[in-house]
Amino acid sequence: MDVYSLAWTHDAPLSEVVDQDERNELARALMSRSEDILHLCQRKYVAQAPEMTLEVAARHPMWDIVSVAVKAIADWLETGLGAGAPARQRIDSLGNAAAIDQETAIAGRTPDKSTVGPVLPEQGEGPSGVLSVALVTKLNLWWKDTTCLVLEEEGARLAIGRDTIDAATDMVERSCNSSIVRMAKQYDLELQDLHARLVDLANHDQLTGLANRAVFLARLETAIARIGRHPGGLAVVFIDLDDFKAVNDAFGHSRGDELLTALAERFRDEMRPEDTVARFGGDEFVALFEDLISPAREARALAERLHRVITEPITIAGEPLYITASIGVAVVTDVSYPSEEVLAQADMTMYGVKRTGRNQVAMVELGGELHPAAFAMASELHRALDGDGLSLAYQPAFEAKSGALVGFEALCRWTHPDRGPISPVDFIPIAEESGLMPALGSWVLAEASHQLAAWSEMSDTSLTMAINVSGRQLADPMFSTLVEESLARTGIRPHQVVLEITESILLGEHVNYEAVLARLNEVGVRLSIDDFGTGYSSLAYLRRFPVDQIKVDRGFVQDVAEHGDTRIMGAVVRLAHDLDLEVVAEGVENEAERLIVQLLGCDVMQGFLLGYPLTPQLIEEKFFAGASVG
Ligand code: C2E
Ligand code: MG
Ligand code: MG
């Protein structure tokens, strides 16, 4: 069937191909039985396609090829030449049609892939049927068998010499073989092309052309493994646009797509070729920066740069569009982190930004301290924060002299679905390390403020609410705004709020809290040094920061009660009073301790003896029993 194989005969020694008269005679006989060959082929086809009637089968355009091929053999017998251009084209188009149909079938668009034979065109439809490679191969073989059969029959009938008949059948066979090989080659080419397209589809986000999640994770894995061999670390920057839905709603999805594509372009421009930026779908982009020599510093700078690039106006359809993003960065300097975990950490950190005012960059450093168990716990904590797994207990505080109620301290509680209550001593550090602290902290702030507002209405005196604040919260430039917002929302007065900061946080080296503390001081909330005296001998910092109160650690009170030596505790109280600071004694557990606290002149006392941390309901029963709610 393949005309190119017919063309071989140009070089074949025609002298072997005997008598020209015999050849002409055989050619004419073959042509006269062209219809027979066609019908035989059609019958073979119907025999293997049970649903098909001969009448329907005959309508298929593929049969045309059979006649063209028979004619080509006859022409060759007469002239010794291969088929002309029109016949070639016809045969070509059929081979290509088969290959293209394969492609369609692989792409899953064939209506019924189980169909072996051609799906014949509906009546009145154009001449396009689906041809499988298998079918075209069969067609070749049917054509070969029937054509050889007819050549043998006609040769015998006309007493044509063996050599001539053999030469003709040999040509048919070679044409057939070559046709099959050629079709297979074409099919291979299409398959290669298709494969390349599938690989592209599997690795890239179709809208922006950026890497997709799978590729990103694979690269991240390799990059983490490399940390072991190179100094430094890497950073995963998780970007989620703020209010992208509003863009889609206001301008339509195609504008939204344009915006995403434009951002992808900016990211590409901003990054080195060895960095990876991916789109995880929607408005989530994730970037990977490798080989950072000073990972935390560089990562922050890179993330800030991406943040700036996002916030520059983007012109869509002639209109400048302003967009912001919440960005979470996970910095990794340790090979022991699985890629999924690193990604989750960056995601959680981003989520923390979302919950605390958006349009910021927040960072978490993974240096090996968060082992898998802690990671699992972080995910559960995340879920608890999302649902209602967290609550606040309130411990009352009293004036030392009179024993009157002063206010409460909000203490975070987490009841794990399987493990029961988990101490904040255990889960607060995990929230810190996993980037959840901003979200958790702002929830505590809002909840406790809300509670204070409710209780203030039930009380004649001005009550205070002490709220514990972690270093990560203070490091957030948005923190003071958050406090102001919660004051405005609940209507409580600033001096009713006491923010407790532990001594160790304040003296940590890497962050300078002076600015944020000054701002909080301006807002008017009070600042307290929690766990005072647990590590630092120098008290100079008390003058450096605008502190209002110290909470003397439980250990001091205990010490005095056990050893009877009041000198240190007494000096601390005096010094605090000299600096105009209020002194709170923590952890008063028995009468002896209460007496000491009162004798030494502490202003406020707190402890199990006076009141346990309780649920809001129990607090109300105990302290506001007479008050009407609302
Ligand atoms: P803290 O701020 O020093 O809170 C006092 C802790 O001592 C509380 O433990 C309280 O239940 C406990 N306590 C109170 N009176 C007594 C007593 O008489 N004897 C003894 N032995 N203990 C007493 P808790 O609730 O387990 O909290 C532990 C720490 O977790 C807190 O220490 C605070 O640093 C931190 N924390 C709790 N909630 C939060 C929060 O919402 N945010 C932040 N950042 N930290 C929190
Ligand atoms: Mg405290
Ligand atoms: Mg304390």
Side-chain angles (χ1 to χ4, degrees):
M1 304 261 269
D2 188 322
V3 194
Y4 301 110
S5 63
L6 297 179
W8 299 345
T9 52
H10 280 300
D11 305 325
L14 273 175
S15 55
E16 276 179 21
V17 194
V18 293
D19 192 320
Q20 188 61 47
D21 290 341
E22 279 194 345
R23 290 166 51 124
N24 292 346
E25 206 176 346
L26 191 55
R28 277 195 300 280
L30 181 63
M31 280 311 291
S32 73
R33 297 206 43 199
S34 179
E35 285 283 297
D36 283 350
I37 293 173
L38 183 65
H39 291 144
L40 281 169
C41 286
Q42 286 174 350
R43 245 180 236 120
K44 283 178 191 279
Y45 170 56
V46 172
Q48 56 94 61
E51 304 289 292
M52 194 65 67
T53 65
L54 205 55
E55 199 205 347
V56 174
R59 282 208 300 271
H60 197 279
M62 74 176 171
W63 302 117
D64 188 19
I65 196 80
V66 173
S67 314
V68 172
V70 169
K71 173 85 165 56
I73 294 292
D75 287 349
W76 170 77
L77 278 167
E78 282 175 348
T79 65
L81 295 176
R88 280 183 200 203
Q89 256 170 23
R90 177 66 197 117
I91 293 167
D92 263 356
S93 73
L94 195 80
N96 288 341
I100 288 160
D101 283 332
Q102 284 312 296
E103 193 185 324
T104 323
I106 290 167
R109 275 176 272 131
T110 309
D112 179 5
K113 279 183 246 170
S114 63
T115 313
V116 180
V119 174
L120 291 177
E122 294 292 320
Q123 246 166 342
E125 239 185 65
S128 71
V130 175
L131 292 174
S132 70
V133 169
L135 181 72
V136 178
T137 306
K138 282 183 196 167
L139 188 61
N140 269 288
L141 296 172
W142 296 330
W143 171 82
K144 181 192 76 176
D145 289 349
T146 44
T147 308
C148 286
L149 190 79
V150 165
L151 284 170
E152 289 288 350
E153 274 177 20
E154 292 303 306
R157 188 174 63 79
L158 301 167
I160 285 170
R162 191 70 242 162
D163 285 351
T164 306
I165 297 170
D166 283 351
T169 54
D170 188 41
M171 174 51 78
V172 170
E173 235 155 79
R174 278 194 285 159
S175 300
C176 170
N177 294 347
S178 156
S179 170
I180 290 171
V181 169
R182 218 174 64 83
M183 190 177 59
K185 278 185 186 160
Q186 175 72 18
Y187 180 56
D188 276 350
L189 281 178
E190 299 287 348
L191 213 60
Q192 269 169 24
D193 189 50
L194 199 70
H195 185 252
R197 272 167 45 201
L198 282 175
V199 166
D200 183 68
L201 218 67
N203 290 336
H204 291 99
D205 164 46
Q206 292 305 293
L207 175 65
T208 60
L210 297 177
N212 63 13
R213 188 189 186 96
V215 170
F216 187 87
L217 276 173
R219 296 227 180 122
L220 179 56
E221 207 152 291
T222 320
I224 293 171
R226 287 185 64 224
I227 296 178
R229 300 192 293 274
H230 300 262
L234 60 83
V236 170
V237 179
F238 207 109
I239 302 166
D240 192 290
L241 304 184
D242 298 329
D243 285 327
F244 180 66
K245 192 179 169 297
V247 173
N248 270 334
D249 290 349
F251 304 102
H253 282 265
S254 72
R255 286 285 140 78
D257 284 355
E258 270 179 64
L259 183 119
L260 294 173
T261 315
L263 278 180
E265 199 52 49
R266 286 186 182 182
F267 293 154
R268 259 194 225 105
D269 289 347
E270 207 56 37
M271 298 175 70
R272 303 169 302 177
E274 60 267 37
D275 301 327
T276 305
V277 58
R279 178 171 169 254
F280 282 13
D283 57 347
E284 272 180 5
F285 294 92
V286 187
L288 168 65
F289 296 98
E290 297 180 53
D291 298 327
L292 306 179
I293 305 297
S294 158
R297 193 180 48 75
E298 287 175 62
R300 180 163 286 279
L302 290 163
E304 301 272 356
R305 217 161 75 195
L306 291 183
H307 187 232
R308 258 201 313 281
V309 154
I310 295 167
T311 47
E312 277 162 24
I314 297 178
T315 309
I316 304 280
E319 291 280 329
L321 246 160
Y322 295 86
I323 191 127
T324 63
S326 301
I327 300 183
V329 185
V331 177
V332 189
T333 50
D334 188 293
V335 286
S336 66
Y337 288 89
S339 51
E340 285 280 5
E341 186 180 319
V342 172
L343 199 58
Q345 293 287 335
D347 188 1
M348 272 195 244
T349 307
M350 180 282 292
Y351 180 79
V353 176
K354 278 270 186 242
R355 303 264 301 231
T356 54
R358 309 149 158 223
N359 195 22
Q360 290 284 331
V361 175
M363 204 159 94
V364 62
E365 287 177 50
L366 310 176
E369 71 275 11
L370 200 71
H371 52 80
F375 174 70
M377 204 149 136
S379 314
E380 286 160 353
L381 186 59
H382 194 170
R383 236 170 289 141
L385 187 59
D386 257 354
D388 47 11
L390 295 182
S391 61
L392 291 181
Y394 297 90
Q395 185 177 29
F398 303 90
E399 194 181 53
K401 256 192 240 150
S402 66
L405 177 70
V406 173
F408 302 92
E409 176 175 4
L411 294 162
C412 196
R413 295 290 175 261
W414 175 26
T415 307
H416 189 278
D418 310 320
R419 280 185 269 180
I422 295 179
S423 165
V425 174
D426 294 324
F427 72 77
I428 295 287
I430 285 174
E432 291 247 330
E433 281 161 23
S434 64
L436 276 178
M437 203 55 224
L440 194 154
S442 62
W443 174 78
V444 171
L445 183 67
E447 183 68 19
S449 307
H450 177 75
Q451 191 61 75
L452 178 63
W455 287 341
S456 292
E457 293 209 354
M458 302 177 191
S459 169
D460 302 330
T461 55
S462 173
L463 294 171
T464 59
M465 182 63 76
I467 298 170
N468 293 285
V469 173
S470 83
R472 286 275 154 82
Q473 284 174 275
L474 272 194
D476 180 353
M478 293 291 288
F479 182 67
S480 59
T481 315
L482 217 67
V483 172
E484 284 177 80
E485 278 172 3
S486 106
L487 290 174
R489 206 172 32 243
T490 54
I492 52 179
R493 275 159 299 152
H495 71 265
Q496 288 183 278
V497 174
V498 182
L499 299 178
E500 294 191 3
I501 302 152
T502 63
E503 197 175 42
S504 52
I505 291 176
L506 226 43
L507 299 174
E509 283 177 11
H510 40 293
V511 193
N512 183 353
Y513 294 114
E514 264 159 271
V516 63
L517 293 181
R519 176 80 201 114
L520 289 167
N521 189 45
E522 271 171 43
V523 171
V525 295
R526 292 201 278 160
L527 297 176
S528 174
I529 307 295
D530 204 350
D531 304 342
F532 183 83
T534 49
Y536 291 87
S537 50
S538 159
L539 303 180
Y541 73 90
L542 286 179
R543 260 182 307 181
R544 190 144 61 91
F545 299 119
V547 176
D548 300 278
Q549 181 189 76
I550 58 169
K551 286 187 92 169
V552 181
D553 190 65
R554 193 171 96 81
F556 273 79
V557 184
Q558 255 180 333
D559 229 31
V560 179
E562 275 169 27
H563 303 108
D565 187 346
T566 58
R567 281 177 299 180
I568 296 180
M569 173 88 181
V572 166
V573 174
R574 270 196 309 280
L575 174 81
H577 283 161
D578 282 349
L579 293 168
D580 270 338
L581 303 178
E582 191 178 63
V583 180
V584 181
E586 283 193 297
V588 176
E589 288 185 349
N590 53 51
E591 285 298 339
E593 286 172 359
R594 188 221 306 246
L595 208 64
I596 289 162
V597 162
Q598 286 171 326
L599 278 174
L600 289 179
C602 295
D603 304 291
V604 176
M605 56 186 180
Q606 209 180 333
F608 291 166
L609 176 73
L610 312 155
Y612 287 97
L614 299 172
T615 61
Q617 201 186 353
L618 289 174
I619 291 284
E620 281 170 24
E621 281 172 20
K622 203 166 170 197
F623 295 98
F624 307 110
S628 62
V629 184

